[in-house]
């Protein structure tokens, strides 16, 4: 895809393919449960005074609800934690968090049944499933509903199951649809993805009526809100992000830098804001402008960087957006973003892992205040950093003479440098020294790491040591008489 293209042409093509669906927007209220993010062009929440709660360091964010959030680890252990006090419960196996604007549900996917637990009443719904021909099969969950599919003579049937209510057959799904999956979209709608004739398709399901309205072909609605849909187009030469107004069909293109993308972008919606960036930039070994998460307001055209990176987004039933990521100066954890109705975006650090986003030294071995070179032939500098840096470099400088020695190492999180007595091809002089360590994060996230210090080299005085480097010197004249 060439870099130089007509923006008007791209928007025109997007407008002709996007699906516009008119919906009534709800106005849920958001709980105040975390301290605000400072700086970054974001509006501070002056009324929030609570400290961030604990976030599991290895946890992947998979859901955010009314009363708490759900994370999962690499060992398939899921943990639900409350916003109010961080108290939680762990579960083994496939667990999903689904919510209405007032209630959270945990959905447990088993081999013979799906169990939905109401966290407010502790009531439960059980839906039988199986793997034999004609059995109901898991198809997802959204709001207070569990969904299954059944293949009949007429084709694939999608059904909605709600506690203490009759099972509802969804209308609008093509009979030859396969790989059907239902996920949350808005408090009133679910997103349905499926395959038809080998092509991926999607639609929005009205949870109240059970009617599915198909989305436009070629547009993968990665994020849906009560007012907008948003999607990305990731090519070898650039990343594009589009936002469509669901009432009018008007399409906006976000101002994404036209540079190659590492792949796997993500988008999220909060009010009139679309948030976008590379997913999991912290795990990359190369810098990219797409690692940072940018927020763009389609109404005011305001743009602001909200995070230095994010692993994943998840929408909450109150219209806010949660992100597991990090911001230099605030650290790693779970952030909540909410629209303010203007050209600012409120951001809160809800839960923290206690880790910094920038590279920091967690341990170091540096020279003592006085280094006696009669006792050791130099010194080995070593650092333990919070993550890997590229081109770590150590510079040692003799203050009186200005002589310096610079050493480099391979990319590492434990850079080590052996500074010995003859680094300068001669014995180093006694006296005061300075040292400085520098290194750049391999993924470009955060500033360069820098550490500085001083030490003094001493030795016993030696006879005829005119340059004070601990060894005798020989004076002679050359044939021209020079000393």
């Amino acid at each position: 895809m060439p870099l130089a293209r007509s923006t008007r042409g791209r928007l025109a093509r997007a407008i002709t393919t996007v699906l516009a669906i008119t919906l009534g927007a709800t106005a849920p209220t958001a709980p105040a449960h975390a301290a605000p993010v400072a700086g970054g062009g974001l509006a501070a929440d002056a009324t929030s005074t609570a400290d961030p709660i604990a976030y599991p360091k290895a946890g992947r964010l998979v859901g955010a609800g009314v009363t708490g959030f759900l994370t999962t680890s690499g060992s398939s252990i899921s943990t639900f934690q409350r916003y109010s006090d961080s108290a939680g419960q762990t579960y083994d196996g496939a667990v999903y968090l689904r919510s209405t604007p007032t209630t959270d549900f945990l959905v447990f996917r088993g081999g013979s049944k799906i169990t939905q637990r109401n966290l407010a009443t502790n009531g439960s719904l059980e839906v039988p499933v199986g793997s034999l021909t004609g059995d109901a099969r898991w198809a997802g969950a959204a709001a207070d509903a569990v969904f299954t599919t059944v293949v009949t003579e007429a084709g694939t049937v999608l059904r909605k199951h709600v506690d203490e209510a009759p099972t509802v057959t969804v209308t609008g799904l093509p009979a030859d649809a396969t790989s059907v999956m239902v996920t949350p979209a808005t408090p009133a709608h679910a997103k349905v993805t499926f395959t038809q004739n080998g092509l991926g398709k999607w639609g929005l399901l009205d949870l109240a009526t059970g009617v599915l309205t198909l989305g436009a072909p070629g547009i993968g609605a990665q994020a849906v809100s009560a007012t907008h849909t948003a999607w990305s187009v990731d090519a070898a030469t650039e990343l594009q992000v589009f936002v469509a107004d669901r009432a009018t069909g008007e399409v906006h293109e976000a101002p994404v830098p036209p540079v190659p993308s590492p792949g796997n972008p993500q988008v999220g919606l909060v009010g009139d804001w679309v948030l976008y960036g590379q997913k999991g930039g912290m795990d990359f070994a190369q810098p990219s402008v797409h690692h940072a998460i940018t927020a763009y307001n389609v109404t005011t055209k305001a743009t602001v960087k909200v995070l230095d990176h994010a692993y994943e987004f998840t929408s909450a039933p109150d219209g806010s957006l949660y992100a597991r990521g990090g911001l230099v100066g605030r650290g790693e954890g779970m952030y909540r973003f909410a629209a303010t109705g203007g050209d600012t975006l409120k951001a809160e650090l809800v839960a923290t892992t206690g880790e910094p986003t920038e590279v920091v030294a967690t341990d170091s071995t540096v020279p003592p205040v006085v280094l006696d070179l009669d006792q050791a032939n130099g010194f080995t500098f070593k650092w333990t950093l919070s993550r890997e840096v590229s081109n770590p470099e150590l510079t040692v400088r003799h203050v009186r003479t200005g002589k310096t020695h610079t050493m480099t190492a391979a990319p590492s999180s434990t850079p080590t440098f052996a500074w010995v007595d003859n680094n300068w091809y001669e014995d180093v002089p006694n006296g005061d020294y300075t040292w400085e360590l520098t290194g750049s994060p391999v993924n470009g996230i955060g500033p360069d790491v820098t550490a500085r210090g001083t030490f003094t080299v001493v030795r016993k005085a030696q006879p005829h040591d005119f340059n004070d480097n601990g060894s005798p010197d020989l004076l002679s004249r050359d044939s021209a008489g020079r000393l």
Side-chain angles (χ1 to χ4, degrees), residues 32 43 78 104 112 131 149 156 159 168 206 236 297 324-325 344 395 458:
S78 297
D104 288 329
S112 61
S131 57
T149 55
T156 301
R159 303 182 302 178
V168 174
D206 188 312
N297 190 302
R324 163 65 180 98
T344 57
T395 298
V458 297

Side-chain angles (χ1 to χ4, degrees), residues 11-12 14-16 18-21 227-231 242-253 296 298-299 301:
L11 292 179
I15 291 171
T16 60
V18 72
L19 172 67
I21 303 175
T227 54
H228 295 85
T229 59
W231 66 97
F242 296 98
V243 185
D245 188 302
R246 293 179 56 185
T248 66
E250 183 181 6
V251 176
H252 300 266
E253 183 177 5
Y296 170 68
V298 297
T299 301
K301 313 306 179 187

Side-chain angles (χ1 to χ4, degrees), residues 49-183:
T49 58
D51 292 330
I53 61 178
Y55 185 93
K57 291 183 179 181
R60 183 172 67 89
L61 180 63
V62 293
V66 180
T67 61
F69 62 98
L70 186 71
T71 60
T72 185
S73 67
S75 57
S76 299
I77 300 297
S78 297
T79 303
F80 178 80
Q81 291 179 246
R82 294 197 298 259
Y83 299 127
S84 58
D85 56 9
S86 191
Q89 178 66 48
T90 59
Y91 305 93
D92 193 7
V95 184
Y96 307 85
L97 175 62
R98 298 294 184 256
S99 306
T100 67
T102 59
T103 307
D104 288 329
F105 300 85
L106 286 180
V107 181
F108 303 88
R109 179 184 174 186
S112 61
K113 66 180 179 181
I114 307 300
T115 303
Q116 178 202 68
R117 181 182 303 167
N118 186 321
L119 296 186
T121 65
N122 207 32
S124 64
L125 164 71
E126 293 187 352
V127 180
V129 294
S131 57
L132 300 178
T133 301
D135 286 346
R137 305 204 176 193
W138 160 260
D144 60 349
V146 172
F147 293 85
T148 61
T149 55
V150 175
V151 178
T152 67
E153 293 182 356
T156 301
V157 176
L158 179 62
R159 303 182 302 178
K160 183 181 77 165
H161 309 269
V162 177
D163 191 23
E164 299 183 352
T167 299
V168 174
T169 297
V170 172
T171 61
L173 181 72
D176 58 348
T178 60
S179 302
V180 180
M181 183 54 58
V182 182
T183 54

Side-chain angles (χ1 to χ4, degrees), residues 422-469:
N422 59 355
N423 275 144
W424 287 319
Y425 306 104
E426 62 176 334
D427 293 336
V428 298
N430 295 322
D432 294 334
Y433 284 80
T434 63
W435 59 261
E436 181 179 46
L437 171 75
T438 60
S440 302
V442 293
N443 52 24
I445 296 175
D448 290 354
V449 62
T450 301
R452 299 181 180 89
T454 62
F455 63 99
T456 300
V457 167
V458 297
R459 301 181 184 86
K460 292 180 181 178
Q462 298 294 329
H464 303 286
D465 182 10
F466 299 108
N467 59 0
D468 195 26
N469 68 350

Side-chain angles (χ1 to χ4, degrees), residues 139-470:
D144 60 349
V146 172
F147 293 85
T148 61
T149 55
V150 175
V151 178
T152 67
E153 293 182 356
T156 301
V157 176
L158 179 62
R159 303 182 302 178
K160 183 181 77 165
H161 309 269
V162 177
D163 191 23
E164 299 183 352
T167 299
V168 174
T169 297
V170 172
T171 61
L173 181 72
D176 58 348
T178 60
S179 302
V180 180
M181 183 54 58
V182 182
T183 54
T186 75
H189 291 76
K191 178 184 173 183
V192 180
T193 59
F194 59 94
T195 300
Q196 185 183 31
N197 299 323
L199 298 176
K201 297 188 177 182
W202 70 282
L204 287 178
L205 171 63
D206 188 312
L207 292 171
T209 65
V211 176
L212 174 66
T213 303
L214 299 184
I219 300 297
Q222 294 167 271
V224 182
S225 71
T227 54
H228 295 85
T229 59
W231 66 97
S232 65
V233 177
D234 188 20
T237 54
E238 66 177 297
L239 170 67
Q240 296 169 260
V241 174
F242 296 98
V243 185
D245 188 302
R246 293 179 56 185
T248 66
E250 183 181 6
V251 176
H252 300 266
E253 183 177 5
V256 183
V259 298
S261 167
N264 201 21
Q266 57 184 338
V267 295
L269 289 166
V270 182
D272 290 340
W273 295 85
V274 57
L275 278 67
Y276 54 89
Q278 164 67 41
K279 186 175 183 178
M282 186 65 89
D283 294 333
F284 279 70
Q286 293 182 337
S288 171
V289 296
H290 299 300
H291 290 336
I293 304 303
T294 300
Y296 170 68
N297 190 302
V298 297
T299 301
T300 67
K301 313 306 179 187
T303 302
V304 63
K305 184 183 81 171
V306 293
L307 291 175
D308 286 292
H309 79 95
Y311 291 101
E312 55 262 337
F313 295 157
T314 186
S315 297
D318 61 3
S320 61
L321 182 73
Y322 286 78
R324 163 65 180 98
L327 185 66
V328 170
R330 290 309 306 269
E332 296 293 298
M334 183 175 71
Y335 289 80
R336 177 180 180 271
F337 299 96
T340 62
D343 59 357
T344 57
L345 187 64
K346 184 172 69 174
E348 301 170 295
L349 178 59
V350 176
T352 176
T353 67
E355 301 166 304
T357 298
E358 59 271 29
V359 180
V360 298
T362 59
D363 193 16
S364 64
T365 302
V366 298
V369 175
V370 177
L371 178 62
D372 188 346
L373 290 187
D374 285 329
Q375 303 298 320
N377 184 31
F379 190 85
T380 298
F381 293 77
K382 184 176 181 178
W383 285 267
T384 300
L385 305 178
S386 56
R387 52 191 171 91
E388 191 173 87
V389 296
S390 60
N391 303 318
E393 183 177 278
L394 175 68
T395 298
V396 181
R397 177 179 177 269
H398 185 238
V399 175
R400 177 171 55 84
T401 63
K403 288 185 176 182
T404 61
H405 180 230
T406 299
M407 295 161 280
T408 59
S412 174
S413 60
T414 56
T416 303
F417 306 90
W419 182 77
V420 295
D421 201 0
N422 59 355
N423 275 144
W424 287 319
Y425 306 104
E426 62 176 334
D427 293 336
V428 298
N430 295 322
D432 294 334
Y433 284 80
T434 63
W435 59 261
E436 181 179 46
L437 171 75
T438 60
S440 302
V442 293
N443 52 24
I445 296 175
D448 290 354
V449 62
T450 301
R452 299 181 180 89
T454 62
F455 63 99
T456 300
V457 167
V458 297
R459 301 181 184 86
K460 292 180 181 178
Q462 298 294 329
H464 303 286
D465 182 10
F466 299 108
N467 59 0
D468 195 26
N469 68 350

